Amino acid sequence: MGDIRRILVTGASGQIGSELTPRLRELYGKENVIASDLRKPVSDDGPFEMLDVTDAKQLDEIVVDHEIDSIVHLAALLSASGEQRPNVAWHVNIDGLYNVLEVARNRKLRRVFNPSSIAVFGPETPREKTPQETVTKPRTIYGITKVTGELLGNYYYQKWGVDVRGIRFPGVISNVSPPGGGTTDYAVEIFYEAIKNRRYTCFLKPDSILPMIYMPDCLRSIVELLEADLSRLKHHTDFNLRALSFSPIQLVAEIKRHIPDLVVEYKPDYRQAIADSWPMSLNDSAAREEWEWRPTFDLQTMVKDMLGVLSERHRSGKL
Ligand code: SER
């Protein structure tokens, strides 16, 4: 790998963190990836520190003690839980990021990865093949924190040379740790319910198309951007990414090819308005040109893989 030696992962027990941490340990060495979170990780396979990212002193101590040179900052509230607790979302997502950027500046860290989201877009944004440069006027507090994060990351890069990078992630589909409080969570929940109960009540309308990504592609995108050649990057904190795009009814049809007796009801709730304000698909030409991003999973291969993994776990009584 390149110049990264010791990484701190915040939010390591969350949906992305619980799979990214082991992957980073494979690549950079077990002892060189320090997991941190408010909660203990599911698997205990390397160094871990309890960390509240809103505590700047504690964060600084961990960075110094472990000789950290890069931070993958995943601790955040998502869109739906953000709407339930806007002040907590602001505090964790903004003050937490500010602390990460400040420690990166003061301790001269090599890299910060701060994920952004499709939630930076809003009703005025073109919803199909959303361009890289476009209107970012989100209506959710989560989206507002993510736009702020993109801008703040670029500011730290331009003003102090802190190498901050980020991707506007779509909904992430995974089978290790569940997502918590996102608008795209239906696309994960449905797999668990389909296997366990053959029934699912979807909180979005059947035709709500949203962009998504399968975890193996998500993990690879993070590693590829972390390791990308800085001199080739014209963008830094706000890469659009394209992988999958589908509606609940399209996902249901694909799952039913494997589980024909699945029954799905639709009861849209407050999350529908959030989904309606987000893109259906993204133009990711900047990511493709600047660090050669290419997705590998399509709807069929993602569904087959998800059902394979979860069915096996169900059979062995671990679901
Ligand atoms: N999956 C996220 C959410 O729904 C999007 O960033 O909040």
Side-chain angles (χ1 to χ4, degrees), residues 48-289:
F48 174 80
E49 292 277 359
M50 284 286 194
L51 171 65
D52 176 347
V53 290
T54 65
D55 184 339
K57 190 166 165 287
Q58 198 189 7
L59 174 64
D60 187 66
E61 281 166 10
I62 291 173
V63 165
V64 172
D65 287 353
H66 290 276
E67 297 175 23
I68 296 297
D69 63 42
S70 299
I71 301 181
V72 175
H73 178 48
L74 303 176
L77 265 73
L78 290 182
S79 59
S81 42
E83 291 312 291
Q84 308 297 325
R85 298 189 297 163
N87 47 357
V88 180
W90 180 265
H91 183 47
V92 173
N93 295 12
I94 295 296
D95 298 335
L97 174 63
Y98 183 78
N99 292 341
V100 166
L101 294 175
E102 276 295 279
V103 78
R105 175 167 80 93
N106 293 328
R107 302 291 177 189
K108 302 193 170 28
L109 302 192
R110 295 200 168 117
R111 203 87 79 251
V112 173
F113 183 84
N114 177 54
S116 187
S117 165
I118 54 165
V120 297
F121 302 116
E124 291 83 5
T125 309
R127 292 191 70 208
E128 283 184 63
K129 299 197 180 118
T130 301
Q132 176 69 42
E133 310 298 342
T134 186
V135 187
T136 47
K137 288 167 68 179
R139 300 298 198 274
T140 60
I141 192 70
Y142 174 67
I144 293 167
T145 67
K146 288 296 173 187
V147 177
T148 309
E150 290 182 353
L151 296 172
L152 204 56
N154 282 335
Y155 182 82
Y156 271 68
Y157 177 64
Q158 275 147 20
K159 200 168 173 76
W160 291 300
V162 181
D163 185 355
V164 189
R165 305 182 184 187
I167 291 168
R168 289 169 172 161
F169 279 120
V172 180
I173 299 170
S174 66
N175 51 48
V176 174
S177 279
T183 300
T184 52
D185 292 9
Y186 90 85
V188 179
E189 290 169 7
I190 191 169
F191 284 97
Y192 286 78
E193 295 306 314
I195 289 172
K196 287 197 289 191
N197 304 317
R198 301 284 193 268
R199 295 193 79 84
Y200 181 62
T201 304
C202 182
F203 57 75
L204 295 183
K205 288 194 291 195
D207 60 350
S208 272
I209 299 178
L210 284 171
M212 303 276 179
I213 190 168
Y214 192 31
M215 187 59 96
D217 277 340
C218 170
L219 300 181
R220 192 168 48 78
S221 73
I222 296 174
V223 173
E224 286 177 5
L225 181 56
L226 269 178
E227 289 290 337
D229 180 355
L230 179 63
S231 67
R232 287 188 60 198
L233 300 185
K234 297 190 193 82
H235 300 83
H236 294 266
T237 59
D238 55 7
F239 282 101
N240 277 6
L241 212 67
R242 187 187 63 76
L244 310 165
S245 273
F246 55 77
S247 63
I249 204 152
Q250 289 168 326
L251 178 58
V252 169
E254 190 56 35
I255 297 176
K256 277 184 160 217
R257 290 181 51 209
H258 304 264
I259 306 176
D261 56 342
L262 170 66
V263 177
V264 179
E265 275 185 289
Y266 295 90
K267 288 194 181 149
D269 65 15
Y270 69 99
R271 288 169 279 196
Q272 185 63 50
I274 301 177
D276 289 342
S277 75
W278 287 354
M280 298 191 279
S281 63
L282 300 167
N283 177 325
D284 64 352
S285 51
R288 285 172 175 263
E289 279 159 28

